[in-house]
Amino acid sequence: MATTGQVAGGLTAYDRHVLMAVNAGAASLSFVGSGFIVLCYVLFKELRKFSFKLVFYLALSDMLCSFFSMVGDPSRGFFCYSHGYSTHFFCVASFLWTTTIAFTLHRTVVRHKTDVEDMEAMFHLYVWGTSLVVTVVRSIGNNHSHLGTWCWSQSGRSGKALHLITFYMPLWGAILYNGFTYFQVISMLKNARRMAAGMSDRAYQSDARADMKALNRWGYYPLILIGSWAFGTINRIHDFIEPSHKIFWLSVLDVGTAALMGLFNSIAYGLNSSVRRAIYERLDLFWPDRLKRWFPNSSKFRNQEQESELVALKIEDQH
C-alpha cells in the first residue's frame, strides 16, 4: 500500500475515490431497478394485491437505501449523517421485508392459513420497528468517523462490534430463516407433485407442475442476500481482527455487491410474470401494427394462465 496520500484506515485517497465511485454506480443501478418496481405498482392496478404489496415495500426500502447511498458523502457533515443513519435503516428494512415474504409463503403453503393479509400491520411494526431500534442502538457512541467510503466506519473495536451485532447478525438470521422456510415450502410442493403423478386428475397435475416451476426459482432467493453481503461480512470480520490492514479488492467487492442488492431484489422478486404481462399489455396498446410483427410473443402474455407472484398466495380464491 502506498504511503503517499494515505488516509485513516490504511486506504489511499485514490482507493477511497474508487470505492465511492463503485458505490455510486452500483447504487444507481439498484435505484433504477427498485424504482421501476415501485412505479409498476403505482401505475398498474392489477398488481395491487397483498402478495405484490410486500414486494412493493421491499422495492421501496431498496430504492431509499440506494438513494441515500448515492447522496452520502463522508466529506460533508449533513450528508454524512443522512448516509449513515438512512442507509443502515433502509438496508435492514430491505432484508427484513424478505423474511415477511418467506413467512407469508410458508404460512400459506405449509400451514394452509389464509389470514396473512390481516398481518400487514404486524409486518410494518416488525420491519420498521426493528430497523429503527438497531439504527438507534448503533448510533450510541458513534462519532461518524470518515474512514474509507462510509461515515460509520469506526476505528474502535466496540463500534465495530456494535456494527456486527446491529446489522450482520440480523442479516444472517434473515438468511438462515429464509433458507429454512423456502426449503420447507419447496419440499412440500415436491411431495404434492409426487402425489399428483399417481393421480389420474390431469388438471391437478398441471397445477402442481405450475407451482413447482415457479417455486424452483425461489430456492435461489436466499442466495441474493448471501451474494450481496458475503464479502461485506468477511471484510467486517477481517477489519475487526486486523484493523490496520485493509484489503482493497475485498473492499471493492464489499461495496459493489452490497450496493447491488436492490437491483438483484428487483429482478428476482419484482420482475415476475404478472409485471411482464402488465407491461406487454400496455405496450401492445401503443405499438404500431408493423412493430408487432417483430415481437410476436408479446401478445401471448394476455392468453397465459395468470401465475401468482408468490405462487402460494391464492388467498383471494380461498376467502
Side-chain angles (χ1 to χ4, degrees):
M1 185 73 68
T3 57
T4 58
Q6 196 86 12
V7 298
L11 295 174
T12 66
Y14 175 78
D15 293 340
R16 179 167 172 256
H17 287 306
V18 170
L19 292 176
M20 292 177 63
V22 171
N23 173 70
S28 299
L29 294 176
S30 290
F31 180 82
V32 172
S34 54
F36 176 76
I37 300 303
V38 171
L39 185 63
C40 287
Y41 180 83
V42 173
L43 294 179
F44 304 147
K45 293 183 179 181
E46 63 267 32
L47 296 178
R48 298 175 193 173
K49 303 175 183 178
F50 178 75
S51 55
F52 198 77
K53 186 183 294 187
L54 298 179
V55 177
F56 163 73
Y57 294 138
L58 169 63
L60 183 63
S61 299
D62 284 330
M63 186 179 71
L64 293 173
C65 177
S66 301
F67 171 77
F68 285 107
S69 293
M70 291 187 294
V71 301
D73 185 351
S75 66
R76 301 178 182 179
F78 174 78
F79 289 112
C80 180
Y81 279 87
S82 69
H83 178 281
Y85 287 105
S86 302
T87 53
H88 189 271
F89 177 86
F90 287 111
C91 283
V92 172
S94 173
F95 67 71
L96 290 181
W97 278 117
T98 67
T99 63
T100 66
I101 295 173
F103 173 84
T104 302
L105 267 173
H106 183 273
R107 189 169 182 83
T108 308
V109 176
V110 178
R111 301 187 62 185
H112 305 289
K113 301 292 185 178
T114 61
D115 58 350
V116 286
E117 290 191 46
D118 300 330
M119 298 182 176
E120 182 177 353
M122 185 180 67
F123 287 165
H124 282 286
L125 180 62
Y126 155 68
V127 173
W128 305 123
T130 303
S131 301
L132 179 62
V133 168
V134 296
T135 302
V136 171
V137 170
R138 190 185 171 189
S139 69
I140 298 175
N142 180 60
N143 60 0
H144 292 269
S145 176
H146 297 168
L147 301 182
T149 314
W150 312 114
C151 293
W152 283 19
S153 296
Q154 302 182 38
S155 56
R157 292 181 66 87
S158 60
K160 294 176 180 178
L162 199 60
H163 186 191
L164 291 171
I165 293 172
T166 59
F167 187 85
Y168 287 94
M169 284 184 62
L171 168 68
W172 285 97
I175 291 173
L176 292 175
Y177 174 79
N178 289 352
F180 177 75
T181 300
Y182 289 130
F183 174 78
Q184 284 193 320
V185 171
I186 293 173
S187 296
M188 181 168 184
L189 287 180
K190 284 182 177 179
N191 292 334
R193 185 175 62 174
R194 283 195 293 266
M195 291 176 60
M199 298 175 62
S200 58
D201 191 342
R202 293 182 178 271
Y204 185 86
Q205 294 183 38
S206 177
D207 289 342
R209 285 194 297 269
D211 283 347
M212 280 308 304
K213 180 180 178 181
L215 259 295
N216 276 334
R217 71 176 185 270
W218 280 72
Y220 298 99
Y221 283 11
L223 297 179
I224 295 175
L225 288 179
I226 296 175
S228 297
W229 295 105
F231 293 111
T233 303
I234 297 172
N235 199 23
R236 294 299 175 275
I237 294 175
H238 174 269
D239 184 52
F240 183 79
I241 299 174
E242 296 286 343
S244 61
H245 178 58
K246 301 288 185 181
I247 303 177
F248 176 65
W249 64 265
L250 183 59
S251 298
V252 171
L253 292 175
D254 168 12
V255 172
T257 55
L260 286 174
M261 179 181 66
L263 178 64
F264 296 151
N265 283 336
S266 64
I267 295 173
Y269 288 91
L271 202 58
N272 55 41
S273 63
S274 296
V275 175
R276 295 194 302 269
R277 181 170 49 252
I279 295 173
Y280 275 115
E281 286 176 351
R282 268 57 175 196
L283 292 176
D284 204 34
L285 295 176
F286 299 100
W287 279 355
D289 291 336
R290 62 178 180 272
L291 289 180
K292 293 180 181 179
R293 294 197 299 268
W294 293 94
F295 300 95
N297 293 329
S298 62
S299 60
K300 72 179 182 179
F301 288 93
R302 291 177 299 178
N303 302 321
Q304 286 181 338
E305 180 181 1
Q306 184 171 358
E307 174 188 324
S308 172
E309 298 85 358
L310 300 182
V311 182
L313 295 184
K314 300 172 182 175
I315 303 167
E316 293 83 358
D317 298 333
Q318 296 178 5
H319 281 329

